[in-house]
Amino acid sequence: MSNFDESQWIDSVRGILKNGLGIDTDLRPNIFTVPKTLMSTDPDSYTPQQLAIGPYHYWRPGLYEMERYKLAAAIRAETYLLGNHKFEYVVDQLEKHVLRIRACYQKALTISNEALAWMMAIDASFLLEFLMVYAMKEGKVTTTYPSKSMSHLSGTKAALNTILRDLVMLENQIPLFVLRKMLEVEYSSLEAADEMLQAMLMGFCEELSPFKMMKDTPVINVSECQHLLDYLYNTIVPNAQETKVEITVVVEDQSGEAKESVTIEIDAAAAGDPTYVKKLFSLIWKYLSKVNFVKRLPWGKLSKALPGISLIVQMIQQMNPGKNGKEKSDDDSDMNKPPLMEEITIPSVAELANSLVHFRATTGDISTVRFDAKKRTLHLPIISFDVNTEVILRNLVAYEASYASGPLVFTRYTELMNGIIDSEEDVKLLREKGIILNRLKSDAEVANLWNGMSKSIRLTKVPHIDKAIEGVNKYYNRQWNVKFRKNMRAYVFGSWKCLTFLAAITLLFLTMVQSFCSVYNCRKFKFVSGSSSAG
């Protein structure tokens, strides 16, 4: 604090208030630095090793060597992508959007607007050339773009994997709209540019995603995605906003004409939750109770005449406590509270298999997680493991923790897998069921990967995953062998202090008897029974 210059700080604040922050403050940042709690667990998984994309790691000495490859890609882009336009034309176009670019980054960028525009244009040229290979696989490229221009970088599998890992790191992203603007120069319209970019990203995610993508997967709108990692995240984590169920309640007057129409939206993924069902009926009754016909019904007489009506009245009274709103507020607060640590506890795969629980692989994203209590079957999506998987999973968790405002769906999935996998035996069982596709050296590596991802930012509730966890625990705890072990731990092993005290008392008593018998001859004492004395 001794070097703090107050006058310089005041001048800086005055300049900001006069000229603005230099960013679009209405936009929410989406390219973040990794939270320290996650970075400390495995820094190499979040720090690019060979390629810097974007401003966070651009001038690191070990990564700046790749600049010549990116400049070569920019030269080829001017020839094959930009047509009659010079590269400076793209830079000028991007400089018009520099405030929007700055707003995408969480950290304040100290470089000039012109330097930032050049950086974005060069990095976008490299990315588009790299991603073009995946569009070629999809058969979407008809241009004479050189397909082997990246062979000098991805000549070996190890080099290619290093680049792939760097491209999905949270701190190594550029806004996706920069790529769209650059493609728009080549194509006749933004729609055509989006179609090409869609093919690139789909091919890239099919190559890199640990989860098997379905053919009927809904197309993700690239205009709604923030960057490459965000697009990958959306292919794995279903959009909760799209899974809404609408229920319309029409209130009619005495003439039968519609007086009021109310549409209620509920989350389809949580529709099976009793709390949501209770809220749904409460909302419906709230609007039905406004109808005069319903108000005037003699509910007391009807409940006496028809036994079934009394049950309905009791249900309505329980779900609508009336003036006493304490119960309702408690329910609402319980839904918003994070789960307790005990709720994350779940038996391992081996323990569940010993309790006759089956495991079945599903094709699709993590929304397919569920537990069928009748068939004793836990459904889990297929996930493959290779040298890139850990970096992908960790950066998806970091991005979700930084950007998601609602439930941390993917983080909750990793907590579930971390809970059921304790050892390589658990991995082996899931591999034999086709849930885990292991391309690593051993099952122990997969087990260590999951067990190393135990650190999370905050606990969260995800209805369909929590329902599966609850169902598994409920079934497992009902088994007689589990109850026996718990009772032994609670009443036998758990009461070791009491048992130790009794053993000490018994030992003390025996010691006293031994001491007594050593002084007095115990054989002198005759213990005669009552029957013999009577004789």
Side-chain angles (χ1 to χ4, degrees), residues 429-446:
L429 291 172
L430 292 181
R431 178 169 54 80
E432 291 173 348
K433 296 296 182 181
I435 295 172
I436 287 181
L437 305 178
N438 189 11
R439 297 183 179 91
L440 297 176
K441 295 179 181 179
S442 65
D443 293 335
E445 288 189 42
V446 178

Side-chain angles (χ1 to χ4, degrees), residues 26-197:
D26 293 333
L27 297 178
R28 181 185 174 194
N30 51 66
I31 302 175
F32 304 87
T33 55
V34 177
K36 292 181 179 179
T37 53
L38 298 179
M39 178 68 81
S40 62
T41 58
D42 188 6
D44 289 342
S45 292
Y46 306 103
T47 308
Q49 304 298 312
Q50 184 173 339
L51 175 67
I53 297 292
Y56 284 168
H57 298 275
Y58 203 83
W59 285 281
R60 273 181 51 202
L63 304 181
Y64 195 70
E65 297 175 0
M66 287 289 295
E67 186 70 9
R68 61 191 181 102
Y69 295 106
K70 293 195 286 186
L71 289 174
I75 294 173
R76 287 189 291 269
E78 186 176 40
T79 304
Y80 295 98
L81 280 181
L82 305 182
N84 298 326
H85 296 287
K86 294 294 183 180
F87 196 80
E88 287 83 352
Y89 173 79
V90 175
V91 176
D92 294 338
Q93 294 300 311
L94 292 178
E95 196 167 356
K96 297 177 182 178
H97 301 276
V98 73
L99 297 183
R100 182 181 175 188
I101 294 172
R102 288 182 180 275
C104 293
Y105 290 91
Q106 181 189 30
K107 285 175 61 176
L109 305 180
T110 57
I111 60 176
S112 66
N113 290 344
E114 185 180 7
L116 183 60
W118 275 97
M119 180 192 296
M120 291 292 117
I122 293 171
D123 286 354
S125 301
F126 180 88
L127 265 181
L128 288 175
E129 183 173 325
F130 187 87
L131 295 173
M132 191 70 70
V133 177
Y134 300 102
M136 290 176 178
K137 292 180 181 179
E138 297 288 324
K140 296 289 185 180
V141 177
T142 58
T143 182
T144 57
Y145 204 86
S147 60
K148 296 183 179 179
S149 57
M150 283 289 165
S151 59
H152 52 288
L153 281 179
S154 55
T156 64
K157 188 69 174 175
L160 175 61
N161 286 328
T162 302
I163 295 175
L164 288 173
R165 288 194 294 270
D166 288 346
L167 289 179
V168 296
M169 290 184 181
L170 176 59
E171 296 184 356
N172 217 29
Q173 302 294 318
I174 62 173
L176 208 59
F177 79 84
V178 173
L179 275 67
R180 297 175 66 214
K181 288 292 181 183
M182 195 160 185
L183 282 174
E184 189 181 6
V185 177
E186 179 190 7
Y187 291 92
S188 56
S189 64
L190 187 58
E191 290 76 14
D194 286 349
E195 185 179 352
M196 174 56 67
L197 186 58

Side-chain angles (χ1 to χ4, degrees), residues 204-364:
F204 177 79
C205 291
E206 287 177 4
E207 176 85 12
L208 201 61
S209 177
F211 299 90
K212 188 174 181 180
M213 297 179 65
M214 297 181 293
K215 293 182 179 179
D216 57 346
T217 302
V219 177
I220 299 171
N221 192 349
V222 293
S223 63
E224 297 178 357
C225 294
Q226 311 300 332
H227 42 73
L228 199 62
L229 181 61
D230 182 52
Y231 187 93
L232 177 62
Y233 177 83
N234 283 300
T235 63
I236 297 173
V237 181
N239 189 354
Q241 293 180 351
E242 294 180 357
T243 55
K244 297 289 185 180
V245 176
E246 291 188 356
I247 298 178
T248 303
V249 180
V250 179
V251 180
E252 299 180 348
D253 56 15
Q254 293 181 354
S255 62
E257 296 182 358
K259 181 180 180 182
E260 185 179 3
S261 178
V262 181
T263 301
I264 303 170
E265 283 190 355
I266 62 171
D267 191 348
D273 192 332
T275 310
Y276 278 88
V277 176
K278 180 178 178 179
K279 287 184 177 181
L280 174 62
F281 276 100
S282 298
L283 285 171
I284 294 174
W285 177 253
K286 177 182 178 181
Y287 291 101
L288 286 178
S289 61
K290 297 179 180 179
V291 183
N292 292 329
F293 173 73
V294 177
K295 287 181 180 179
R296 295 173 181 175
L297 283 176
W299 292 105
K301 295 180 180 180
L302 287 174
S303 60
K304 293 179 181 179
L306 301 173
I309 296 295
S310 60
L311 296 176
I312 296 175
V313 173
Q314 290 177 7
M315 288 174 59
I316 293 172
Q317 290 175 348
Q318 289 176 359
M319 289 189 290
N320 296 276
K323 295 181 180 180
N324 185 13
K326 184 177 181 181
E327 181 181 347
K328 182 179 179 180
S329 62
D330 290 344
D331 290 339
D332 291 341
S333 61
D334 288 342
M335 284 299 299
N336 296 325
K337 286 181 181 178
L340 299 174
M341 188 62 70
E342 290 79 5
E343 294 176 349
I344 299 176
T345 304
I346 188 172
S348 67
V349 173
E351 291 172 331
L352 292 174
N354 292 333
S355 298
L356 303 179
V357 173
H358 306 293
F359 297 90
R360 178 166 295 179
T362 61
T363 303

